[in-house]
């Protein structure tokens, strides 16, 4: 459906450290940085797969990064426990809760999700639903 999701960063080293810690339970790892002529960035992926990517980067236009009102990045989690783990990591790293882990019946009987904001205000969702395709398939 998509090749990558990209968010602007105001403090790239701090935000990269945040996502290194938060995304670890999902099996995402950071790629080594390669200079491509654009602003500095940090990129995560699943081992052995080129796509999709999650990217944070200083904006190309040089203006400060801002969070998108109404925008949300949702990450598929391999199990309910990983949703719980990731949400706890966000909370201990300075993120803000937008809804603790739990079943959201309005989306399906097994839609288990947590909502939060990262340390720069970007809204995130971490979700497990047994009907979703596993990242390993």
């Amino acid at each position: 459906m998509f090749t990558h999701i990209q968010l602007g960063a105001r403090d790239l080293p701090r935000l990269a450290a945040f996502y290194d810690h938060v995304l670890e339970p999902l099996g995402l790892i950071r790629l080594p940085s390669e200079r491509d002529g654009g602003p500095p960035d940090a990129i995560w992926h699943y081992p052995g797969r080129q796509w999709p990517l999650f990217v944070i980067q200083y904006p190309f236009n040089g203006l400060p990064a801002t969070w998108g009102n109404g925008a949300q990045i949702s990450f598929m989690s391999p199990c309910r426990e990983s949703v719980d783990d990731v949400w706890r990591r966000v909370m201990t790293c300075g993120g803000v809760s937008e809804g603790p882990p739990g079943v959201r019946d309005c989306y399906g009987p097994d839609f288990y999700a947590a909502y939060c904001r990262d340390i720069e205000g970007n809204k995130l969702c971490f979700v497990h639903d047994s009907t979703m395709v596993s990242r390993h398939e």
Side-chain angles (χ1 to χ4, degrees):
M1 179 175 217
F2 59 87
T3 59
H4 64 285
I5 300 292
Q6 184 165 332
L7 295 175
R10 291 189 301 268
D11 182 339
L12 186 66
R14 183 172 177 244
L15 194 58
F18 172 88
Y19 279 110
D20 280 341
H21 183 66
V22 166
L23 297 177
E24 187 268 331
L26 304 180
L28 291 162
I29 60 168
R30 191 176 348 164
L31 292 167
S33 290
E34 292 184 20
R35 299 301 305 146
D36 64 0
D41 61 23
I43 302 171
W44 290 263
H45 75 124
Y46 291 115
R49 292 182 56 186
Q50 183 175 357
W51 307 104
L53 303 173
F54 176 65
V55 181
I56 59 172
Q57 186 170 34
Y58 291 125
F60 275 77
N61 65 7
L63 297 174
T66 59
W67 51 267
N69 188 23
Q72 174 178 285
I73 307 300
S74 298
F75 292 90
M76 186 171 21
S77 299
C79 60
R80 288 182 177 199
E81 293 77 18
S82 67
V83 172
D84 296 343
D85 188 13
V86 170
W87 189 81
R88 276 191 303 271
R89 288 170 183 244
V90 170
M91 295 303 102
T92 61
C93 290
V96 176
S97 177
E98 291 279 331
V103 174
R104 301 324 199 261
D105 291 338
C106 59
Y107 301 123
D110 191 37
F111 193 93
Y112 188 83
Y115 299 86
C116 54
R117 292 195 181 266
D118 72 15
I119 57 176
E120 292 194 1
N122 298 294
K123 190 169 182 184
L124 308 172
C125 173
F126 300 95
V127 60
H128 173 75
D129 187 313
S130 60
T131 64
M132 292 180 181
V133 177
S134 167
R135 72 173 196 262
H136 299 292
E137 293 181 24

